[in-house]
């Protein structure tokens, strides 16, 4: 398997290239944003409950399909909020992890803040080395582009029939380590109590059929597809020792992508690695600062997921020249 080309760099430098003024500005963006965190969680729950109620009332196959897709996009919001909490950017204090587990992690049926923290923080600390669990898990043909249409179709089929969900959960666990212990982890009994109470309520209300249709089905089918898109857009893998800039695209969502598939600025992912203490809502401000500091090569910025996916499937094997001279113009144009 050939090693993929390094990305044509959208970023012309990292935080070490910033002026003192810019560093101070970004430093002031650090810290948890609990109200924004709770607001996102509340809106995601409202959308899920609203779609379940509407689809159940209408009893239409088409509306049920739309509901399943929309609900899966809100599950993705849950997952992204888990990511925020892992970096202590959501809820702080003794009960922060417990509340986050209850409202965004446990609903994903198998995810916990504590377990995901071990994987994700290892990824940050050991980026693209043999100690990076994400890098090891995604080193293979399933994450190598360009990819044959047949292989891509097999991966998508694996997602929509539910086979990828268990792999996804296993990939978010990590061997026991003392490196990333949570200061106030949720007690184990809380997780069991959550599922026990949920099962009791579903049994009492006779709504197991609704739960399976509008919770289990989107979680096992559409949600893994969205997670795959997010992972592909996060980094190019199979590049041991690559830097964040070399392996992380800068993708700016189009307005309709933000509406249909909100991602909490996850496609500004290089900035997240530079500044893991900056919450999702402030990453566009970091981008603006980098632009002002003339550290952005606009010709290598991808505008929309489709522009990036087209690049992966058709352009990645072409030689990458110096920034701004590759002859491709602005991505997504």
């Amino acid at each position: 398997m050939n090693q993929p080309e390094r990305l044509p760099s959208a970023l012309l430098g990292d935080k070490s290239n910033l002026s003192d003024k810019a560093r101070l500005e970004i430093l002031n963006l650090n810290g948890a944003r609990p109200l924004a965190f709770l607001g996102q969680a509340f809106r995601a729950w409202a959308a899920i409950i609203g779609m379940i109620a509407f689809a159940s009332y209408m009893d239409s196959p088409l509306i049920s399909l739309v509901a399943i897709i929309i609900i899966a996009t809100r599950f993705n919001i849950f997952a992204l909020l888990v990511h925020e909490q892992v970096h202590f950017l959501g809820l702080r204090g003794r009960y922060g992890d417990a509340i986050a587990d209850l409202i965004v992690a446990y609903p994903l049926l198998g995810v916990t803040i504590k377990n995901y923290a071990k994987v994700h923080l290892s990824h940050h600390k050991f980026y693209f080395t043999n100690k990076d669990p994400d890098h090891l898990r995604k080193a293979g043909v399933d994450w190598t582009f360009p990819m044959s249409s047949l292989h891509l179709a097999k991966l998508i089929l694996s997602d929509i029939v539910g086979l990828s969900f268990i792999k996804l959960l296993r990939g978010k666990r990590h061997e026991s380590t003392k490196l990333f212990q949570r200061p106030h982890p949720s007690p184990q009994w809380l997780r069991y109590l959550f599922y026990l109470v949920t099962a009791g309520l579903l049994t009492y209300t006779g709504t197991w059929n609704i739960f399976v249709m509008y919770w289990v089905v989107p979680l096992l089918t559409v949600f893994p597809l969205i997670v795959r898109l997010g992972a592909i857009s996060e980094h190019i893998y199979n590049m041991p020792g690559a830097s964040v800039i070399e392996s992380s695209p800068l993708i700016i969502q189009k307005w309709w992508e933000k509406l249909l598939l909100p991602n909490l600025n996850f496609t500004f992912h290089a900035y997240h690695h530079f500044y893991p203490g900056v919450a999702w809502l402030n990453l566009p401000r970091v981008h603006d600062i980098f632009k002002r500091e003339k550290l952005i090569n606009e010709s290598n910025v991808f505008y929309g997921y489709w522009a990036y996916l087209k690049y992966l499937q058709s352009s990645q094997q072409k030689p990458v020249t110096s920034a701004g001279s590759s002859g491709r113009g602005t991505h997504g144009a």
Side-chain angles (χ1 to χ4, degrees), residues 25-333:
E25 285 183 68
I26 295 176
L27 180 63
N28 290 331
L29 298 176
N30 273 281
R33 297 295 185 270
L35 292 181
F37 182 94
L38 291 172
Q40 282 291 331
F42 175 80
R43 287 190 288 274
W45 272 105
I48 291 169
I49 294 169
M51 288 308 305
I52 291 175
F54 181 63
S56 299
Y57 175 77
M58 296 300 294
D59 194 24
S60 160
L62 178 59
I63 292 176
S64 292
L65 177 61
V66 172
I68 286 169
I69 294 171
I70 292 176
I71 289 167
T73 65
R74 271 52 200 175
F75 287 162
N76 190 51
I77 294 294
F78 285 173
L80 293 170
L81 290 175
V82 168
H83 170 264
E84 290 291 295
Q85 183 63 26
V86 159
H87 288 284
F88 302 102
L89 299 175
L91 306 175
R92 304 299 290 267
R94 183 174 184 83
Y95 302 107
D97 277 8
I99 296 170
D101 270 327
L102 287 170
I103 63 177
V104 296
Y106 295 164
L108 295 177
L109 305 184
V111 176
T112 69
I113 303 294
K114 179 181 177 180
N115 284 342
Y116 181 53
K118 293 177 181 178
V119 175
H120 186 67
L121 297 179
S122 292
H123 167 58
H124 272 261
K125 184 175 179 62
F126 304 112
Y127 188 80
F128 273 39
T129 70
N130 59 9
K131 293 183 179 180
D132 177 354
D134 272 6
H135 172 61
L136 295 176
R137 179 167 58 91
K138 296 172 184 175
V141 294
D142 289 353
W143 300 95
T144 301
F145 292 89
M147 183 183 293
S148 73
S149 298
L150 178 60
H151 192 77
L152 181 59
K154 287 179 179 179
L155 291 177
I156 293 173
L157 181 62
S158 175
D159 289 340
I160 62 177
V161 300
L163 295 178
S164 297
F165 185 72
I166 293 180
K167 290 182 181 180
L168 178 63
L169 289 184
R170 288 175 177 171
K172 299 305 181 185
R173 295 193 177 102
H174 194 256
E175 63 272 11
S176 178
T177 176
K178 295 182 179 180
L179 285 176
F180 306 111
Q181 298 297 314
R182 306 296 287 178
H184 303 292
S186 301
Q188 188 74 6
W189 60 262
L190 184 66
R191 184 181 180 188
Y192 298 135
L193 180 63
F194 175 87
Y195 293 129
L196 183 63
V197 170
T198 300
L201 288 173
L202 292 172
T203 301
Y204 179 75
T205 58
T207 51
W208 276 102
N209 58 327
I210 294 176
F211 173 75
V212 171
M213 180 68 175
Y214 295 113
W215 204 279
V216 176
V217 170
L219 191 64
L220 294 183
T221 58
V222 182
F223 175 62
L225 266 177
I226 297 172
V227 171
R228 184 180 299 280
L229 175 62
I232 291 170
S233 304
E234 178 183 15
H235 302 299
I236 290 182
Y237 288 90
N238 298 302
M239 295 196 300
S243 70
V244 169
I245 290 177
E246 292 172 324
S247 55
S248 305
L250 183 56
I251 304 170
I252 298 179
Q253 282 186 298
K254 297 186 176 181
W255 69 266
W256 57 269
E257 290 178 330
K258 293 179 181 179
L259 180 65
L260 297 177
L261 191 59
N263 71 5
L264 303 192
N265 298 317
F266 203 67
T267 48
F268 284 124
H269 204 66
Y271 301 130
H272 168 65
H273 275 271
F274 295 161
Y275 303 104
V278 173
W280 64 271
L281 73 166
N282 283 326
L283 293 178
R285 295 178 66 182
V286 175
H287 177 63
D288 290 340
I289 291 170
F290 269 71
K291 285 179 67 175
R292 190 190 70 210
E293 296 276 303
K294 303 187 185 307
L295 292 175
I296 303 295
N297 181 357
E298 291 286 352
S299 67
N300 290 330
V301 175
F302 297 96
Y303 288 90
Y305 284 118
W306 184 243
Y308 179 59
L309 294 175
K310 284 199 301 183
Y311 165 77
L312 288 181
Q313 281 295 79
S314 62
S315 301
Q316 189 173 319
Q317 289 185 340
K318 294 180 181 180
V320 177
T321 58
S322 60
S325 62
S326 62
R328 283 189 299 273
T330 302
H331 294 294

